[in-house]
Amino acid sequence: MKGKTVIVTGSTSGIGAALAGGFAAEGANIVLNGLGDAGLIEAARAALAAAHGVEVIYHGANMARPDEIEALVRAAEGHFGGVDVLVNNAGVQYTEVIEVFPTERWDALIGINLSAPFHATRAVLPGMKRRGWGRIVNIASNAGLGGSVRKSAYVAAKHGVVGLTKVTGLENAQSGVTCNAICPGWVKTPLVDVQIEDRAKRDGTSIEQATYDLLIDQQPSGRFTTFEQLAETALFLCSSAADNMTGTTITLDGGWMAT
């Protein structure tokens, strides 16, 4: 990864920040993107650059806006000369049964979780193909491989991301550009923390019990997938070992999809 340029969307916190850190540790220059307090983002940017001796820039593109996604990619190309790796990570969640699922929430989830990866992929592909090398890593979910109640928009979007991954891989199979998706099960993020809190309130149990119940219902290992495991998997997909992997998915789910 030394000297390569990596865009990680939704990288100011959580999984995205860990992914950015993993690539920076291997010598890649990083384009951060996401929401948050400007001062905290700048502090994180500077700390990441200092820790690994790489160049790190930030672009505040709103991933719900195609023109801003285009501007993000063009800014990265203008600053670094090209984009070698795109990690489509930005995502949002909302849960409710279909008949009362707010239509504006549906549109927002589809826009950020599915349309944004399309727009970013569309923007980076020409440059990657000209250079004969590129890696697109989509952070999907086990929700892209199976269904979950109260998550119609999220499941639909993540299924779409898996489909987009397959088509991108097929269309570029001989170009030197690969596209693969990582499908984690439960990862302890703020989005999951909210689901745990909601479950504890619903069931009248402790946070600890709700956490255990959430995991054991679907993730046989009873353990969360870690940020570090996701980062290492993304790095693997960008290594020579994965040169002939494209259009496919990797699950990190403690056995979820094996049941």
Side-chain angles (χ1 to χ4, degrees):
M1 286 291 101
K2 187 172 178 59
K4 294 193 181 298
T5 297
V6 181
I7 295 176
V8 184
T9 67
S11 51
T12 51
S13 64
I15 291 172
L19 290 165
F23 279 100
E26 295 298 317
N29 297 316
I30 304 296
V31 182
L32 296 174
N33 157 263
L35 305 176
D37 177 83
L40 293 176
I41 291 172
E42 171 54 25
R45 185 208 63 77
L48 187 61
H52 302 293
V54 298
E55 191 168 358
V56 182
I57 65 172
Y58 167 75
H59 193 286
N62 183 332
M63 301 309 289
R65 298 176 180 170
D67 59 333
E68 294 191 23
I69 297 171
E70 178 89 14
L72 164 65
V73 173
R74 300 302 163 236
E77 291 175 333
H79 190 89
F80 291 111
V83 175
D84 300 294
V85 178
L86 167 67
V87 183
N88 285 309
N89 168 74
V92 293
Q93 176 65 289
Y94 184 82
T95 61
E96 186 52 274
V97 295
I98 292 172
E99 62 266 30
V100 294
F101 202 103
T103 56
E104 67 276 10
R105 291 282 195 170
W106 171 276
D107 292 341
L109 262 74
I110 296 298
I112 293 174
N113 293 347
L114 176 57
S115 295
F118 162 77
H119 291 299
T121 297
R122 181 177 181 274
V124 300
L125 272 174
M128 288 181 173
K129 292 171 77 171
R130 278 196 306 271
R131 292 185 298 277
W133 195 93
R135 298 290 179 264
I136 299 168
V137 179
N138 293 324
I139 306 302
S141 166
N142 272 10
L145 304 172
S148 296
V149 297
R150 300 173 62 85
K151 297 181 181 178
S152 56
Y154 190 77
V155 168
K158 293 303 186 179
H159 271 69
V161 169
V162 170
L164 176 64
T165 299
K166 292 177 180 180
V167 173
T168 306
L170 287 170
E171 288 185 356
N172 297 281
Q174 296 183 21
S175 70
V177 179
T178 69
C179 179
N180 295 285
I182 300 173
C183 295
W186 291 121
V187 182
K188 200 158 191 308
T189 66
L191 291 176
V192 172
D193 285 339
V194 171
Q195 293 180 62
I196 291 169
E197 291 166 7
D198 289 346
R199 186 174 187 132
K201 290 176 185 175
R202 184 193 73 199
D203 297 345
T205 60
S206 66
I207 292 294
E208 292 75 16
Q209 185 63 46
T211 300
Y212 174 81
D213 292 342
L214 178 95
L215 282 169
I216 211 65
D217 273 358
Q218 294 170 305
Q219 197 142 301
S221 68
R223 300 188 305 274
F224 286 107
T225 297
T226 68
F227 290 171
E228 292 76 16
Q229 289 162 349
L230 290 169
E232 289 171 14
T233 302
L235 283 164
F236 164 74
L237 289 172
C238 297
S239 73
S240 59
D243 279 351
N244 207 32
M245 281 183 73
T246 196
T248 193
T249 58
I250 296 179
T251 57
L252 282 80
D253 63 1
W256 185 333
M257 296 309 296
T259 59

